[in-house]
């Protein structure tokens, strides 16, 4: 079962042929798509489809921390490895499952974007360094008749698992609904536009599209980030001054437009 691809940002080398490692080095942009599952995977084992984001926070990634819903990040990209784990069972899947919901950049060499290697003390040969245990697509130390070699691209180079980028930094913003007096504080990527913040807020109010979003009485440009709208992130400055940033979280006010047709 395949889901349609969604481009995140302008056309990028990330969706071209060749190794993902080279694409990562060559561009900060990324083409992402919802995961594609093998035909052999039962429909009941395929998780619910979700909406792609351009950027994900550590909190977003951490929620997907089990074998049937496994996200990881490395070198600024976010990968949904659920389809991979749906095809592989056994001990080689365990290191990935144990790392679900976390960043695994330390598994890879920063310059090559390939798995780290070392000289095995027993064989004296260079091999992939797996202190947490050998994982899927890593060859065994010696010949093994049961090792599957029927894959074209190792998962860490396969762009079909890439679902977006990890936020370089996050900030907090409080959304205040002036109609209901409901107040919610969100942790968002600094790269998010106000429109993307509104999409995150939908879990708190499905009719968020029926409101005008304002800051200090001025309507926000939904296609720009908070910083571009003049709402500066002063977290670092507050911390430098010894002030708790949580005491000075900027507030966005929602003004009801008397239209519940948008949901």
């Amino acid at each position: 079962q395949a889901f349609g691809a969604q481009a995140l940002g302008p056309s990028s080398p990330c969706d071209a042929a060749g190794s993902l490692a080279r694409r990562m080095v060559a561009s900060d942009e990324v083409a992402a798509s919802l995961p594609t599952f093998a035909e052999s995977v039962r429909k009941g084992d395929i998780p619910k489809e979700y909406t792609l984001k351009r950027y994900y926070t550590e909190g977003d990634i951490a929620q997907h921390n089990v074998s049937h819903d496994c996200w990881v990040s490395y070198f600024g990209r976010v990968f949904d490895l659920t389809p991979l784990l749906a095809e592989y069972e056994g001990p080689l899947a365990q290191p990935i499952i144990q790392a679900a919901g976390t960043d695994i950049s330390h598994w890879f060499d920063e310059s090559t974007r390939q798995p780290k290697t070392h000289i095995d003390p027993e064989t004296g040969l260079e091999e992939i360094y797996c202190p947490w245990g050998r994982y899927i697509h890593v060859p065994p130390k010696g010949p093994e008749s049961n090792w599957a070699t029927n894959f074209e691209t190792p998962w860490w180079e396969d762009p079909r698992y890439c679902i977006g980028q990890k936020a370089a930094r996050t900030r907090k913003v409080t959304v205040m609904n002036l109609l209901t007096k409901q107040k919610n504080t969100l942790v968002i990527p600094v790269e998010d536009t106000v429109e993307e913040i509104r999409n995150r807020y939908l879990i708190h109010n499905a009719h968020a599209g029926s409101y005008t979003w304002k800051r200090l009485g001025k309507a926000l440009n939904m296609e720009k980030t908070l910083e571009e709208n003049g709402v500066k992130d002063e977290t670092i400055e507050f911390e430098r001054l010894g002030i708790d940033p949580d005491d000075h979280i900027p507030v966005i006010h929602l003004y009801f437009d008397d239209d519940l047709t948008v949901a």
Side-chain angles (χ1 to χ4, degrees):
Q1 177 176 344
F3 299 102
Q6 175 177 335
L8 301 188
S11 179
S12 162
C14 188
D15 57 358
S19 82
L20 180 58
R22 290 193 296 273
R23 291 192 292 275
M24 283 180 168
V25 173
S27 174
D28 287 336
E29 299 166 353
V30 60
S33 62
L34 288 169
T36 302
F37 288 80
E39 294 182 359
S40 59
V41 178
R42 296 183 305 171
K43 290 185 177 180
D45 293 334
I46 298 176
K48 182 180 178 181
E49 184 177 343
Y50 53 86
T51 301
L52 288 175
K53 295 181 175 68
R54 286 192 309 141
Y55 293 93
Y56 299 90
T57 67
E58 288 186 356
D60 293 332
I61 300 165
Q63 297 176 48
H64 304 271
N65 57 8
V66 291
S67 61
H68 58 272
D69 184 13
C70 173
W71 291 13
V72 297
S73 63
Y74 49 97
F75 298 123
R77 268 54 175 178
V78 181
F79 298 82
D80 184 347
L81 299 183
T82 310
L84 176 74
L85 295 175
E87 297 177 43
Y88 288 85
E89 296 181 355
L92 296 188
Q94 289 308 306
I96 297 174
I97 295 172
Q98 292 169 4
T102 69
D103 187 89
I104 59 171
S105 297
H106 59 286
W107 288 22
F108 303 93
D109 183 278
E110 188 173 359
S111 60
T112 65
R113 300 304 202 256
Q114 293 294 315
K116 289 181 178 178
T117 61
H118 74 137
I119 301 301
D120 183 82
E122 296 180 4
T123 65
L125 301 176
E126 184 180 40
E127 63 176 29
I128 293 178
Y129 183 56
C130 303
W132 41 85
R134 182 173 150 240
Y135 50 86
I136 297 170
H137 294 168
V138 172
K141 288 185 177 182
E144 288 188 10
S145 59
N146 61 347
W147 184 54
T149 58
N150 57 344
F151 60 89
E152 295 182 1
T153 307
W155 60 264
W156 54 85
E157 289 189 7
D158 197 332
R160 71 187 178 102
Y161 298 119
C162 182
I163 60 171
Q165 301 183 72
K166 183 180 179 182
R169 189 162 48 86
T170 59
R171 64 180 299 183
K172 291 182 179 180
V173 62
T174 296
V175 180
M176 176 71 177
N177 187 326
L178 295 181
L179 177 66
T180 64
K181 307 305 179 185
Q182 179 184 10
K183 184 186 293 186
N184 300 96
T185 297
L186 310 178
V187 178
I188 62 167
V190 294
E191 302 94 341
D192 267 7
T193 64
V194 180
E195 177 70 28
E196 289 169 323
I197 296 171
R198 181 169 66 180
N199 290 338
R200 289 177 175 273
Y201 178 71
L202 288 174
I203 61 173
H204 302 291
N205 184 345
H207 294 281
S210 297
Y211 292 77
T212 297
W213 288 52
K214 295 184 178 183
R215 166 68 175 166
L216 302 178
K218 180 182 178 181
L220 297 171
N221 186 325
M222 304 300 286
E223 296 180 358
K224 294 184 177 182
T225 66
L226 289 180
E227 191 83 18
E228 291 168 342
N229 272 286
V231 186
K232 295 189 177 300
D233 181 12
E234 300 179 298
T235 302
I236 296 176
E237 181 64 13
F238 283 137
E239 291 175 343
R240 187 183 69 82
L241 297 172
I243 301 173
D244 187 352
D246 286 351
D247 292 336
H248 300 275
I249 299 173
V251 179
I252 294 176
H253 294 102
L254 305 191
Y255 291 77
F256 184 51
D257 293 333
D258 195 24
D259 176 13
L260 285 179
T261 60
V262 182

